[in-house]
Amino acid sequence: IEEEYFLADAASRGAVRKVPPAFIDDAQKAFPDEVQREMLQSQIEVATAICTTMAEARSALARLRSGLADIAGRHGLLLLASGTHPSAIWSRQRVTEAARYDRLMQELQMIGSRNQG
């Protein structure tokens, strides 16, 4: 199961433009096979191991959600389970630096840019 989360500043509730590297490091140390960067720097993705029952799925997602929320809180961030950040301005979001995302933005151009908000 894959889920993507937005990261917001805990004080302002606004989308962060750049996620602190220490947050990413802590999240990947806590969940090395389950957490990865997403296209926008204000997002993070989790992917569970294969679940064979609903109970396994529920447990895996609860562990990831609560664990990441705790880590985010230690870095002054909030975790949002949302398709888009409700108040983010798409033109101000930053793409994560990775060849895959550079290629997507080059190929999709306007569509890729609008995916940011």
Side-chain angles (χ1 to χ4, degrees):
I1 300 169
E2 289 185 7
E3 288 189 327
E4 297 170 3
Y5 309 110
F6 272 91
L7 294 160
D9 179 89
S12 71
R13 307 291 198 255
V16 294
R17 290 188 70 201
K18 183 173 173 85
V19 175
F23 166 78
I24 296 298
D25 291 343
D26 289 350
Q28 290 179 329
K29 284 177 189 168
F31 307 105
D33 298 323
E34 298 164 301
V35 170
Q36 60 186 335
R37 301 295 308 258
E38 189 40 69
M39 187 166 131
L40 298 181
Q41 288 192 25
S42 58
Q43 292 177 296
I44 194 160
E45 179 180 279
V46 298
T48 69
I50 295 173
C51 300
T52 58
T53 66
M54 289 301 292
E56 279 181 26
R58 189 178 304 110
S59 176
L61 290 173
R63 179 179 54 80
L64 288 165
R65 290 171 183 168
S66 64
L68 279 177
D70 288 343
I71 295 167
R74 292 195 300 264
H75 292 275
L77 302 170
L78 297 173
L79 200 64
L80 267 66
S82 175
T84 61
H85 187 284
S87 64
I89 299 170
W90 69 267
S91 60
R92 296 192 64 212
Q93 299 301 302
R94 293 182 176 177
V95 175
T96 298
E97 293 180 18
R100 173 181 176 215
Y101 299 131
D102 291 343
R103 194 171 44 256
L104 275 172
M105 292 300 288
Q106 184 177 12
E107 291 174 5
L108 297 176
Q109 297 197 13
M110 184 181 192
I111 295 168
S113 294
R114 294 301 300 233
N115 183 53
Q116 295 182 35

